[in-house]
């Protein structure tokens, strides 16, 4: 029988324990652990959630890897066409982990209304386009139907619709300038069938999505020519590796660029979240550990006579230290229980009820996203328990310095 655990259990269950001098200190320790675990869970859930949301939104507009012609064009407009007749299209069989390849083209144009105008990028897509992300972004209407050869249906952002006073079903003209300024520009009629809102305002205000055939006609391209390929991979954590593999498995005249390279500043910014998360976790564990050290010292002081009696009866120092560590474990586990209950409650409330909005112009999302995973929750709880107990090994060493005779006489 584990007699240290038995005695610790009896102490915890006694009425005098709950009304003792150490009771307020113990409650403070429990609250500190609970608050610490809540703050750490929120930091991890929102930090990872924000990273994933921003990453997914950028990928939705560009794919994980872009394949294009080598040229000196730094704009987002497709200038030199690529043929769709490639070994890697429509399936990139030579690189494992590629989930989808699609051909697109982009061209800068101006939306003209009776009272206003706005410069945007017309993104032409075909039947191979993956609408998965934009289904989630859709706030009104439907996705464009590209089955008709000269379909005029387009998907416009809520930002542009509000700015220009558009609503579902409205039609407008888009103007595309020619290289020769003396020639009349090209006109494309567009009909709004869907409105999306990704929450990423920097991209929402740029892109209008429609039929690629209009860009092919304006640029005098063949029907099998596109501006670039967008490649999607299954595992984002391997994006650098897959980017190199894709480059090695495409013709030498083609250039590849990962989304992390194209939007370097954004992805460097979201990497800072990791440092913030580690910092918060470190501070919270330190605060919780200090509170537990205080609680343990008070418990030892309060039970000095008991320590003396146990030593007089033959208990060694480690056995007595284990008794108090069992006691401390109970306090930590109780704090973890209440912390998890409150923390998960807040996270699920945010996930389903969107209680805390964010400024999309700063954070690229309209509300604080949360990422909930059993893996990090278990790791956080087990790590907190182990680290707090390790921190308590040092103050528990004071038990070895207590003399049985003086301890029994201690009042």
């Amino acid at each position: 029988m584990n007699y240290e655990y038995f005695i610790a259990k009896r102490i915890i269950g006694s009425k005098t324990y709950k009304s003792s001098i150490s009771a307020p200190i113990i409650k403070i320790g429990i609250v500190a652990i609970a608050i610490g675990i809540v703050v750490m869970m929120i930091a991890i859930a929102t930090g990872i959630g924000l990273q994933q949301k921003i990453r997914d939104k950028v990928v939705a507009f560009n794919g994980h890897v872009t394949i294009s012609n080598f040229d000196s064009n730094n704009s987002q407009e497709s200038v030199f066409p690529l043929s769709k007749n490639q070994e890697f299209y429509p399936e990139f069989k030579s690189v494992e982990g590629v989930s989808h390849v699609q051909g697109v083209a982009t061209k800068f144009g101006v939306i003209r209304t009776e009272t206003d105008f706005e410069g945007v990028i017309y993104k032409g897509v075909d039947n191979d386009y993956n609408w998965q992300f934009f289904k989630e972004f859709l706030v009104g209407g439907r996705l464009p139907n590209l089955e008709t050869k000269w379909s005029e249906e387009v998907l416009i952002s809520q930002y542009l619709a509000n700015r220009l006073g558009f609503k579902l079903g409205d039609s407008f003209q888009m103007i595309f300038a020619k290289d020769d300024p003396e020639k009349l520009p090209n006109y494309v009629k567009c009909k709004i069938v869907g409105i999306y809102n990704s929450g990423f305002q920097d991209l929402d205000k740029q892109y209008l999505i429609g039929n690629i055939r209009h860009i092919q006609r304006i640029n005098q391209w063949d029907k099998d020519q596109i501006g670039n390929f967008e490649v999607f991979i299954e595992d984002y954590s391997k994006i650098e590796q897959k980017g190199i593999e894709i480059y090695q498995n495409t013709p030498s005249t083609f250039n590849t660029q990962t989304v992390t390279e194209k939007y370097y500043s954004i992805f460097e910014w979201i990497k800072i979240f990791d440092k913030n998360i580690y910092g918060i976790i470190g501070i919270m564990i330190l605060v919780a550990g200090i509170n537990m050290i205080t609680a343990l010292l008070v418990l030892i002081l309060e039970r000095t006579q008991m320590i003396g009696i146990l030593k007089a009866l033959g208990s060694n120092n480690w056995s007595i230290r284990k008794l108090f560590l069992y006691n401390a474990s109970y306090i930590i586990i109780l704090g973890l229980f209440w912390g998890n209950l409150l923390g998960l409650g807040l996270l699920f409330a945010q996930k389903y009820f969107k209680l805390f909005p964010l400024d999309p112009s700063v954070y690229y999302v309209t509300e604080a996203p949360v990422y909930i995973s059993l893996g990090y929750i278990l790791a956080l709880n087990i790590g907190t328990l182990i680290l707090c107990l390790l921190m308590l090994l040092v103050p528990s060493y004071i038990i070895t310095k207590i003399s049985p005779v003086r301890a029994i006489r201690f009042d």
Side-chain angles (χ1 to χ4, degrees), residues 306-335:
M306 186 192 76
I307 294 170
I309 293 169
L310 289 173
K311 281 192 174 186
L313 291 172
S315 293
N316 59 42
N317 289 321
W318 177 238
S319 291
I320 301 171
R321 289 173 73 184
K322 278 173 68 179
L323 188 155
F324 283 94
L325 289 174
Y326 278 130
N327 208 331
S329 298
Y330 166 76
I331 297 170
I332 296 169
I333 291 171
L334 199 60

Side-chain angles (χ1 to χ4, degrees), residues 126-368:
D126 210 341
N127 292 323
D128 62 352
Y129 193 72
N130 181 9
W131 293 102
Q132 175 189 347
F133 293 103
F134 283 93
K135 284 180 182 177
E136 298 176 10
F137 301 157
L138 207 62
V139 293
R142 58 175 175 81
L143 298 172
N145 180 7
L146 304 178
E147 295 296 330
T148 307
K149 184 177 180 180
W150 299 110
S151 173
E152 299 174 349
E153 297 183 354
V154 296
L155 187 67
I156 193 171
S157 71
Q158 193 171 45
Y159 173 88
L160 289 172
N162 293 339
R163 187 174 174 85
L164 296 169
F166 287 151
K167 60 183 183 296
L168 285 173
D170 285 354
S171 296
F172 60 88
Q173 276 192 333
M174 203 164 171
I175 304 171
F176 298 92
K178 291 183 179 178
D179 294 335
D180 186 352
E182 294 184 0
K183 292 185 178 180
L184 293 173
N186 291 293
Y187 294 86
V188 173
K189 186 180 179 183
C190 301
K191 181 181 180 182
I192 300 172
V193 295
I195 297 175
Y196 74 90
N197 181 13
S198 73
F200 202 127
Q201 198 173 97
D202 285 1
L203 294 175
D204 283 3
K205 65 183 180 183
Q206 292 184 47
Y207 285 99
L208 176 83
I209 302 175
N211 196 335
I212 194 173
R213 290 175 181 83
H214 294 296
I215 296 179
Q216 290 171 337
R217 176 181 60 83
I218 293 169
N219 290 345
Q220 298 180 349
W221 292 351
D222 295 333
K223 62 180 182 179
D224 66 338
Q225 289 183 315
I226 58 168
N228 55 271
F229 292 99
E230 293 179 345
V231 183
F232 292 83
I233 62 175
E234 295 171 356
D235 187 355
Y236 172 80
S237 63
K238 298 179 180 178
I239 188 168
E240 300 302 328
Q241 174 192 338
K242 295 303 173 184
I244 295 171
E245 289 182 23
I246 289 169
Y247 177 75
Q248 293 172 343
N249 286 273
T250 52
S252 58
T253 55
F254 289 0
N255 184 33
T256 63
Q257 187 179 37
T258 63
V259 69
T260 54
E261 293 170 340
K262 188 173 183 179
Y263 295 95
Y264 178 80
S265 59
I266 292 174
F267 283 90
E268 283 299 305
W269 173 64
I270 64 177
K271 282 182 182 178
I272 298 173
F273 299 167
D274 292 332
K275 296 178 181 178
N276 294 341
I277 291 169
Y278 295 142
I280 290 170
I281 290 174
I283 292 169
M284 289 298 103
I285 289 178
L286 183 63
V287 170
I290 290 171
N291 277 276
M292 286 307 304
I293 288 170
T294 304
L296 183 65
L297 291 174
V298 172
L299 282 171
I300 292 170
L301 182 65
E302 189 180 45
R303 297 283 173 174
T304 303
Q305 286 185 334
M306 186 192 76
I307 294 170
I309 293 169
L310 289 173
K311 281 192 174 186
L313 291 172
S315 293
N316 59 42
N317 289 321
W318 177 238
S319 291
I320 301 171
R321 289 173 73 184
K322 278 173 68 179
L323 188 155
F324 283 94
L325 289 174
Y326 278 130
N327 208 331
S329 298
Y330 166 76
I331 297 170
I332 296 169
I333 291 171
L334 199 60
L336 291 175
F337 170 77
W338 288 111
N340 279 276
L341 196 65
L342 182 59
L344 287 172
L346 288 171
L347 292 180
F348 278 110
Q350 174 61 19
K351 184 174 183 177
Y352 294 109
F353 300 108
K354 317 294 183 188
L355 302 177
F356 302 101
L358 292 176
D359 185 355
S361 64
V362 178
Y363 296 100
Y364 305 115
V365 290
T366 53
E367 69 276 329

Side-chain angles (χ1 to χ4, degrees), residues 5 31 253 290 387 400:
Y5 174 74
V31 170
T253 55
I290 290 171
L387 289 173
T400 64

